Amino acid sequence: MHVDRAALSRFVALRLRAPGAATALQAGDRRSAFRGRGLEFADYRPYDPGDDLRLVDWNVYFRLGTALVRQFHEERSLSVKLCLDVSASMDFGSPRKADHGAQLVATLAMIALAHRDPVVLACVGGRQRGLRARAVNLDGMPELLHLLERAEPDGVGDTHTQLVAHLGQGRADRLVFVSDLLQPDSERDALLRLCAASCPRPIVMHVLGPDELDPDLEDVERVVDAETGEQLVIRDGREAKAAYREHLVQWLAGVEARCRALGIQYMRAETTGTTADLVHGPLFRGQVVEHMAGGA
Amino acid sequence: MSASFPFALAALVLAVPLVAAYLHRRRRVEKRVPSLLLLRVIAGTSRPTRRAWSRPRHLVSLVLVLLALVGLVLALVDLHDDHLWTRGLSKKQVLAEIVDDIAVPRRREG
């Protein structure tokens, strides 16, 4: 897949907004649910043998005669997981849906890594296995880009199993799943439920190309599914086009409604738009990214 | 009726390729799509077998083009009415011009 590396540096002034308390093991600048060392006081707890004596609040000890240890909110990084669908259906459109998705994923990785939020990236749904890379800072960005550039959408793999394997390894504070969602209804619903269960507020970015929005079916006798090889004879004519458009609107509305019901942030990423438009538009409005001046 | 250039009628042969061009349809092809998920709604039940000449495309346009061709050919042929000849008069008789200038006053000479 193709990634425009030069365009990535434009987004380093942004950072990912934390949907809740950060949970990464890596120290960072975001408030976490963990208690320990930090700057912001959280609570007291009784002294246990082995605790650092510097944390004992001696004023309280002399007043009450009980040794209490001060606890602070630990500051951690945001753990980010990015999943890109590389099934054969992403190999369509101009620009290709896969390239658009790769650029989007690379942009989000750059935004996260620029602020030392660790990123785990996985390409799921294709024939190739083991398309997974991890980075904790910008030094690891080339590895993520290399993964994206060597991955190609081909065939159809078990997206659900691959996603389970990816999401089962460690927690995620931010999960972004980039896909065209052209799976059968039951499979798509299982994927969405899996995303919803893996992270407090996951994001699904729905990649849509002109082939879906306004397919050119003139003089086409039959269509062949790129993933399954199934064939359909199609009707031609205005009624068929009107029926398709109506069905498309219903389908999109259904997917969006299902995502909302599961607590998933749903965003459309049409390939006709640019990544910059998406970042500064829906991602910014959806409070997924923020300027550096914003709070954690 | 008579034609000045009857050979121009041969231009009517041009109607054949014109009609053929209108009847011609591009061969309907097979197309690979990302998924059939959205296309099932416009799926047909059987292969279309309608013959091309049963319904030419753009029928009105075809009729207009044919009418234009016929008009052009008729203009080239130059048809004219020859009913005078059919009444037994010769061409010279018809075209003879008799001028009677008796009643015209003449200028006196001298």
Side-chain angles (χ1 to χ4, degrees), chain A residues 89 92 182-183 188 212 216-217 219-226 230 233-236 240 244 247-248 251, chain B residues 25-48 50 57:
Chain A
S89 64
F92 283 87
L182 287 175
Q183 295 92 1
R188 185 178 58 254
E212 284 94 42
D216 180 15
L217 298 173
D219 295 316
V220 175
E221 181 183 0
R222 62 177 62 210
V223 287
V224 183
D225 192 313
E230 187 185 348
V233 176
I234 59 166
R235 285 188 286 137
D236 196 5
Y244 177 85
H247 180 60
L248 176 71
W251 181 73
Chain B
R25 287 170 174 239
R26 273 185 291 167
R27 189 167 161 262
R28 301 193 80 200
V29 294
E30 195 172 274
K31 186 180 181 181
R32 228 170 134 252
V33 292
S35 173
L36 295 183
L37 186 76
L38 296 170
L39 293 169
R40 288 187 200 284
V41 71
I42 57 169
T45 53
S46 62
R47 184 183 180 128
R50 190 175 54 219
R57 297 170 125 198

Side-chain angles (χ1 to χ4, degrees), chain A residues 53-283:
Chain A
L53 288 176
R54 287 175 296 181
L55 295 177
V56 175
D57 191 327
W58 295 108
N59 290 329
V60 174
Y61 176 74
F62 288 124
R63 200 181 308 150
L64 304 176
T66 308
L68 294 177
V69 177
R70 286 190 297 265
Q71 287 188 302
F72 298 88
H73 288 292
E74 280 197 4
E75 292 186 332
R76 301 278 184 98
S77 296
L78 202 66
S79 173
V80 180
K81 283 191 176 177
L82 303 173
C83 302
L84 176 61
D85 181 3
V86 289
S87 59
S89 64
M90 294 287 280
D91 192 18
F92 283 87
S94 178
R96 276 197 318 171
K97 288 191 284 182
D99 293 334
H100 188 67
Q103 187 70 35
L104 193 54
V105 163
T107 302
L108 291 171
M110 174 62 98
I111 292 172
L113 292 175
H115 304 286
R116 305 177 69 84
D117 291 323
V119 172
V120 183
L121 166 65
C123 297
V124 297
R127 253 184 227 152
Q128 292 175 278
R129 288 180 173 271
L131 293 174
R132 189 168 183 274
R134 184 173 189 275
V136 294
N137 54 35
L138 279 178
D139 291 342
M141 191 66 195
E143 191 181 346
L144 299 186
L145 292 176
H146 179 62
L147 171 71
L148 289 172
E149 285 169 348
R150 77 185 158 95
E152 277 298 323
D154 66 330
V156 56
D158 189 345
T159 312
H160 189 267
T161 306
Q162 293 176 21
L163 204 57
V164 166
H166 176 51
L167 298 179
Q169 298 178 0
R171 288 179 57 94
D173 300 318
R174 266 290 186 211
L175 167 65
V176 182
F177 181 41
V178 180
S179 170
D180 56 6
L181 299 177
L182 287 175
Q183 295 92 1
D185 291 346
S186 57
E187 189 182 333
R188 185 178 58 254
D189 197 59
L191 288 174
L192 294 179
R193 279 189 278 116
L194 180 62
C195 290
S198 306
C199 178
R201 189 133 174 82
I203 300 158
V204 167
M205 307 209 73
H206 193 175
V207 183
L208 289 163
D211 279 342
E212 284 94 42
L213 296 173
D214 189 16
D216 180 15
L217 298 173
E218 194 171 344
D219 295 316
V220 175
E221 181 183 0
R222 62 177 62 210
V223 287
V224 183
D225 192 313
E227 293 187 354
T228 63
E230 187 185 348
Q231 297 188 0
L232 273 185
V233 176
I234 59 166
R235 285 188 286 137
D236 196 5
R238 289 181 185 172
E239 296 86 7
K241 282 185 181 172
Y244 177 85
R245 289 202 189 98
E246 190 182 340
H247 180 60
L248 176 71
V249 169
Q250 285 176 359
W251 181 73
L252 290 173
V255 171
E256 187 170 357
R258 183 61 179 148
C259 286
R260 283 192 182 162
L262 291 169
I264 296 172
Q265 243 178 309
Y266 172 85
M267 291 176 192
R268 280 184 204 160
E270 295 179 14
T271 57
T272 47
T274 64
T275 307
D277 293 339
L278 199 62
V279 170
H280 294 294
L283 284 173

